């Protein structure tokens, strides 16, 4: 298969970026999207040109590093999949593919397709933890938790913090990410101790970092590689309002 790639190139955070066109040929349909970029970079290196910088790590849909906007969609033309789980058979031979970094004010471009997503780390540091003892292993049945609550907590905890939700949202909101983190702890007894402080602190940090407001368009849910539901946003709102009323 042969493809024309229009890739965003930007030397650093201060430089003015732009699209540059490349061609890759003899690509197997079973090649992953990131492997295709590896092939492109190999060709560029052999030509004496600078390779395209892009994030990657596990390449198993776990780490969330492979954050690319492909033809206007976060992570590309797949449902509940990260960029590394997209294969070139998803495209047609001869297609032109536009590849960009996340477009969000809170995720500034570092170089080419790499963005700084440390804003999510700062939100987690603001309240995404519990202060109970974790150095010893309690009996599994010491704190009974219903299966429904445990399942819902684990569904929320599946968030990999890739940033697709904020990059997709027309307002650049990180509500789905924050909601997933808050909800994963709110459904467990260990997370109830600091529930009020957590909701307020994480929302405040999100606002401080320049993320936009949620208007419930549902775009974040549609593009989330872990298919996390926006119902968790409703729980975050309840947790936040409850904390404010207590104040």
């Amino acid at each position: 298969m042969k493809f024309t790639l229009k890739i965003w190139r930007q030397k650093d955070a201060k430089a003015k970026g732009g699209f540059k066109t490349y061609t890759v040929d003899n690509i197997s349909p079973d090649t992953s999207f990131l492997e295709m970029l590896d092939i492109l970079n190999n060709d560029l290196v052999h030509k004496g040109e600078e390779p395209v910088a892009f994030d990657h790590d596990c390449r198993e849909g776990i780490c969330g590093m492979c954050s690319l906007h492909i033809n206007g969609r976060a992570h590309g033309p797949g449902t509940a999949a990260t960029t590394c789980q997209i294969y070139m058979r998803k495209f047609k031979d001869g297609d032109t593919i536009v590849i960009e970094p996340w477009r969000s004010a809170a995720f500034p471009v570092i170089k080419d397709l790499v963005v700084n997503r440390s804003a999510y780390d700062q939100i987690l540091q603001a309240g995404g933890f519990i202060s109970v003892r974790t150095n010893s292993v309690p009996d599994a049945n010491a704190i009974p938790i219903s299966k429904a609550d445990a399942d819902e907590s684990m569904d929320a905890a599946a968030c990999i913090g890739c940033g697709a939700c904020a990059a997709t949202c027309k307002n650049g909101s990180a509500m789905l990410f924050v909601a997933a983190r808050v909800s994963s702890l709110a459904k467990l007894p260990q997370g109830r101790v600091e529930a009020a402080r957590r909701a307020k602190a994480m929302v405040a940090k999100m606002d401080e970092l320049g993320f936009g407001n949620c208007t419930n368009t549902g775009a974040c849910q549609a593009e989330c590689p872990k298919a996390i539901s926006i119902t968790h946003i409703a729980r975050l709102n309840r947790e936040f309002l409850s904390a404010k009323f207590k104040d």
Side-chain angles (χ1 to χ4, degrees):
M1 301 178 76
K2 182 177 182 179
F3 302 99
T4 298
L5 309 176
K6 291 187 176 180
I7 301 177
W8 183 264
R9 302 302 305 266
Q10 187 170 331
K11 186 177 180 180
D12 54 45
K14 297 180 180 180
K16 183 178 180 181
F19 285 101
K20 190 169 182 179
T21 303
Y22 302 95
T23 300
V24 289
D25 203 354
N26 296 319
I27 302 296
S28 167
D30 297 324
T31 300
S32 75
F33 199 88
L34 295 189
E35 289 171 339
M36 181 274 295
L37 290 179
D38 289 336
I39 293 171
L40 169 65
N41 279 343
N42 184 64
D43 292 341
L44 292 177
V45 169
H46 279 84
K47 292 177 183 177
E49 299 180 33
E50 186 173 4
V52 178
F54 64 95
D55 264 335
H56 61 95
D57 191 1
C58 73
R59 300 202 178 197
E60 295 179 347
I62 298 172
C63 70
M65 293 280 289
C66 55
S67 47
L68 298 179
H69 240 108
I70 303 169
N71 288 343
R73 288 193 62 182
H75 288 300
T79 301
T82 54
T83 301
C84 62
Q85 295 174 306
I86 302 297
Y87 290 85
M88 299 314 294
R89 55 180 173 266
K90 283 282 188 178
F91 304 90
K92 295 179 180 179
D93 189 21
D95 272 357
T96 296
I97 305 173
V98 180
I99 310 169
E100 305 171 74
W102 283 163
R103 299 298 190 183
S104 174
F107 297 146
V109 174
I110 297 174
K111 183 177 181 180
D112 294 342
L113 303 175
V114 180
V115 299
N116 183 347
R117 290 176 299 167
S118 63
Y120 272 10
D121 296 327
Q122 294 180 57
I123 293 174
L124 282 177
Q125 290 167 5
F129 58 86
I130 59 175
S131 59
V132 298
R133 287 179 58 200
T134 57
N135 62 322
S136 60
V137 181
D139 183 84
N141 299 315
I143 306 177
I145 302 171
S146 71
K147 187 177 187 305
D149 286 344
D151 287 347
E152 196 167 356
S153 175
M154 290 303 294
D155 287 344
C159 172
I160 56 177
C162 66
C165 50
T168 298
C169 177
K170 66 178 183 178
N171 305 319
S173 174
M175 279 290 280
L176 189 63
F177 168 75
V178 177
R181 296 308 188 192
V182 167
S183 192
S184 67
L185 294 174
K187 297 298 292 183
L188 302 177
Q190 295 91 335
R192 295 312 307 167
V193 179
E194 297 157 314
R197 190 202 61 78
R198 177 182 302 111
K200 291 186 293 183
M202 294 182 77
V203 170
K205 179 59 70 172
M206 176 182 65
D207 292 340
E208 176 191 325
L209 293 170
F211 289 100
N213 296 317
C214 174
T215 50
N216 292 310
T217 61
C220 54
Q221 174 181 275
E223 298 297 350
C224 175
K226 297 303 177 182
I228 293 174
S229 172
I230 57 175
T231 57
H232 292 295
I233 295 179
R235 176 169 294 106
L236 169 61
N237 288 335
R238 290 196 298 272
E239 292 284 323
F240 181 79
L241 291 174
S242 175
K244 286 295 186 180
F245 279 129
K246 288 179 181 177
D247 287 347

